[in-house]
Amino acid sequence: HGRGFWILDDIEPLRQIRGRIAETTLFKPQRAWRIRWNKNTDTPLPPDEPMGQNPPDGAVIDYYLPAAAGPVTLEIRDAAGALIRRYASSDLAPAPKDEGNIPWWWIRPVKSLAATAGMHRFTWDMHYPPAPGSRNAYPIAATPHDTAPAPASPWVVPGTYTVALTANGKTYTQPLTVEMDPRVKTPAADLQQQFALSKEMYDDIAQLEDISGRVRAFRAQMRAAIASADISALRKQASELAGASAEEDDEAPPAAAPDHETLSSLTQSLRAVLRLLQESDAAPTTQLAAAVEDRRRAVAELLNRAQTFETAVRAAKLPPPAKGSSAIKPQ
């Protein structure tokens, strides 16, 4: 339609090849740009509309395997060596399916890490893994067959990272430089503050999701226990902690009063604050910073209540849960 042009993009492997490749090779990635790629605010073009393909929206990682390998893994680590993201050739890659009012043909297929012989290209989206318990949500600004779910985790900040490929028991590493969209003029210190507050919300979500799982395990134990006043008190505590997120049984009392934070309500509010922090490449507002502080106080209070509850559960010496369930374990 005369509205685009083709370019030969990311030829780093060609620059790095020296003769015939005879062994496993992880190529040094070209610098990755942290860019919010799709700014379209309308519904996508029809799938039969002729269109080209944009570059991958993430850090492009190329590697070569001379023969089919056993389990292959790819890890991204920060400058301090902390793990950010891990992919494996054993990861499941289900075919897209309709999700609510989102048709399957909008959705980008999940791609697992290849372990077959030959050249391979993988893209890291420059985010931490989705926050535990997240559900896929897709923007209306969709690209047919290539719409990624809205991120449910923080962007990494611009800087230097390490890519580590492990195949056949050997690990190969390369540095990766992440740079900010050059159109964004937000100072690095503000981006770092945005990340720090986002990471606090992200880590708190993980903590609360872990506690939710342990509360569900307690309920499995509870169903196997003989009813007693002590068990009734524990059941009430579990209900007050869980809110709407946990499985309720027929004999459970109503959820906690509105003046108590529950795992359900608090986790939802953490996800909302994280989403607000990450929706633009800008310093957090004063109101958002205050919201993070308020939510962290609420998390601390709920963690104290959860600790008291779990101590009571262990003291009650409940019988083990039914087969297939897991009991609460000391943390």
Side-chain angles (χ1 to χ4, degrees):
H1 293 276
R3 296 179 181 176
F5 56 90
W6 292 97
I7 63 172
L8 183 61
D9 189 33
D10 193 354
I11 58 173
E12 284 303 306
L14 296 180
R15 294 190 173 103
Q16 296 171 40
I17 289 176
R18 297 290 183 270
R20 183 175 179 273
I21 310 177
E23 58 185 24
T24 299
T25 303
L26 173 63
F27 295 94
K28 182 180 178 181
Q30 71 171 2
R31 59 183 174 179
W33 296 95
R34 182 179 137 174
I35 292 176
R36 298 175 187 269
W37 291 81
N38 194 344
K39 293 296 185 181
N40 176 34
T41 57
D42 206 349
T43 51
L45 294 170
D48 54 352
E49 178 77 13
M51 66 188 77
Q53 185 176 5
N54 287 325
D57 48 343
V60 176
I61 300 165
D62 294 292
Y63 63 97
Y64 172 79
L65 300 174
V72 175
T73 62
L74 185 72
E75 295 182 345
I76 315 294
R77 295 183 177 272
D78 63 18
L83 180 65
I84 295 175
R85 196 76 190 259
R86 185 181 188 275
Y87 300 95
S89 56
S90 57
D91 292 344
L92 298 178
K97 62 180 180 179
D98 294 350
E99 298 194 24
N101 61 345
I102 304 299
W104 71 267
W105 54 268
W106 276 26
I107 298 171
R108 173 183 297 172
V110 176
K111 183 178 180 182
S112 59
L113 203 64
T116 54
M119 283 290 299
H120 300 291
R121 172 164 286 186
F122 193 81
T123 303
W124 169 47
D125 64 3
M126 292 182 279
H127 284 80
Y128 280 73
S134 300
R135 296 181 179 179
N136 286 344
Y138 295 89
I140 195 172
T143 302
H145 304 290
D146 199 28
T147 306
S153 60
W155 282 97
V156 296
V157 293
T160 302
Y161 298 84
T162 298
V163 179
L165 176 76
T166 300
N168 290 325
K170 294 184 66 176
T171 299
Y172 310 82
T173 62
Q174 289 286 0
L176 167 66
T177 300
V178 174
E179 295 195 20
M180 195 64 203
D181 184 338
R183 298 167 296 182
V184 174
K185 306 305 180 186
T186 304
D190 290 343
L191 292 174
Q192 185 61 50
Q193 182 195 17
Q194 177 194 45
F195 170 77
L197 297 183
S198 299
K199 187 66 162 52
E200 288 177 353
M201 298 291 91
Y202 176 79
D203 290 343
D204 284 343
I205 290 169
Q207 280 197 86
L208 298 190
E209 287 290 340
D210 182 60
I211 292 172
S212 290
R214 301 206 299 273
V215 170
R216 286 192 293 272
F218 158 71
R219 283 181 160 155
Q221 289 177 282
M222 181 183 66
R223 283 189 287 270
I226 299 173
S228 69
D230 291 338
I231 298 302
S232 176
L234 287 174
R235 182 184 293 126
K236 182 175 185 296
Q237 282 182 275
S239 180
E240 289 175 348
L241 273 175
S245 68
E247 300 169 354
E248 295 288 346
D249 59 69
D250 293 338
E251 298 181 39
D259 60 338
H260 279 279
E261 290 279 8
T262 67
L263 287 165
S264 176
S265 65
L266 185 50
T267 302
Q268 289 177 23
S269 67
L270 292 175
R271 294 187 194 280
V273 174
L274 175 59
R275 186 167 55 249
L276 290 171
L277 283 164
Q278 289 287 303
E279 69 180 4
S280 65
D281 300 312
T285 63
T286 302
Q287 293 89 340
L288 261 180
V292 169
E293 186 177 348
D294 175 76
R295 294 296 78 197
R296 298 227 74 201
R297 284 195 297 267
V299 168
E301 190 274 334
L302 191 142
L303 290 178
N304 285 334
R305 287 198 286 130
Q307 182 61 49
T308 300
F309 166 68
E310 291 189 326
T311 299
V313 169
R314 288 191 288 272
K317 297 180 180 179
L318 300 179
K323 188 176 180 181
S325 301
S326 58
I328 289 182
K329 299 182 178 66
Q331 298 299 304

